[in-house]
Amino acid sequence: MAKVGGLWAEGFPLLHVAAGKFDVLFEERMPTLAHAMDGAGFGPEHFKGMILASEWLTLFRQWLPFDYLKLAFERVMAGCLPAVIALTIAILEMNEDALLLTAAPGGSAFGELYQQLSSLWRSTVWTPPAPTPPTALALGTTPSQDPKVLLDGKIQRLLPPAAQLFSAA
C-alpha cells in the first residue's frame, strides 16, 4: 500500500498516481456528479489540477471545517493514500446535492463550481443538527446524525474499495 509521505515528495509522484485511482472510484461511485462536473467544464484534468492537488497537499484545509481536520489527519495517517481517496469521495458525497445544483445545465457552471469546490468547509452539511426534543423521540422520531459521525462512516465504507485500487496495481 502506498504511503502518504510520497504525496509530498519532490515532484509529488504519488499525487498523479492517486489522482488516477481517484478518477476510477469517483466515476464508479458518483457518476452523476462526475458527469455534471464534466458538463460544467470541470472535467477530470481540471478537477485534479485545480482542486485535488490543493486539497490533498494541504489535507483538505478548504474542504473541512477546522474541527474536522483531526479526524481527516487520523484517517489519512492510518489508511495512507486509500484513505485520502476515501475521504475525498466521502466529502464529495456529503456535498453532492449542492454541487449538482451548481453544475446543473443552465447554471453558472465553471466559475461558481470552482468557488464552491474551493470552499466546501463553509458548506451547511458540516453544521451539527439541533438536538431532537425528548417529546419527538418519544413519538418515534429518529434523531439526526452528527455530520462528523456520518463522514467517518462514509470514509470507513469507502476505504476497502479505495485500497483495492492500489492492490490491483
Side-chain angles (χ1 to χ4, degrees):
M1 188 181 321
K3 297 290 182 202
V4 178
L7 191 59
W8 296 279
E10 186 175 337
F12 310 112
L14 291 182
L15 177 66
H16 304 290
V17 171
K21 307 283 186 195
F22 165 80
D23 283 344
V24 172
L25 198 58
F26 183 52
E27 287 282 340
E28 177 186 308
R29 297 289 174 143
M30 303 184 75
T32 305
L33 182 60
H35 180 72
M37 286 175 57
D38 196 27
F42 234 104
E45 293 309 312
H46 278 105
F47 187 64
K48 287 187 283 193
M50 297 175 79
I51 301 294
L52 279 189
S54 173
E55 292 310 310
W56 286 1
L57 295 175
T58 62
L59 274 180
F60 305 97
R61 72 175 172 77
Q62 292 296 326
W63 276 15
L64 293 171
F66 185 76
D67 58 328
Y68 283 69
L69 294 177
K70 181 178 181 221
L71 170 68
F73 183 77
E74 289 170 348
R75 295 301 169 260
V76 168
M77 295 317 301
C80 302
L81 284 177
V84 171
I85 293 170
L87 184 55
T88 303
I89 301 285
I91 293 168
L92 290 171
E93 279 184 355
M94 290 187 69
N95 287 278
E96 184 173 20
D97 291 342
L99 291 168
L100 284 171
L101 282 174
T102 305
S108 42
F110 190 87
E112 198 169 312
L113 188 57
Y114 175 75
Q115 286 237 247
Q116 188 176 10
L117 285 165
S118 297
S119 59
L120 286 177
W121 66 273
R122 294 180 179 158
S123 172
T124 58
V125 302
W126 309 124
T127 305
T132 306
T135 53
L137 290 174
L139 294 172
T141 303
T142 306
S144 299
Q145 194 167 17
D146 180 337
K148 199 180 288 186
V149 172
L150 193 60
L151 178 65
D152 197 32
K154 288 179 177 290
I155 295 166
Q156 298 305 324
R157 178 180 49 80
L158 289 160
L159 260 172
Q164 189 174 14
L165 290 171
F166 284 91
S167 64

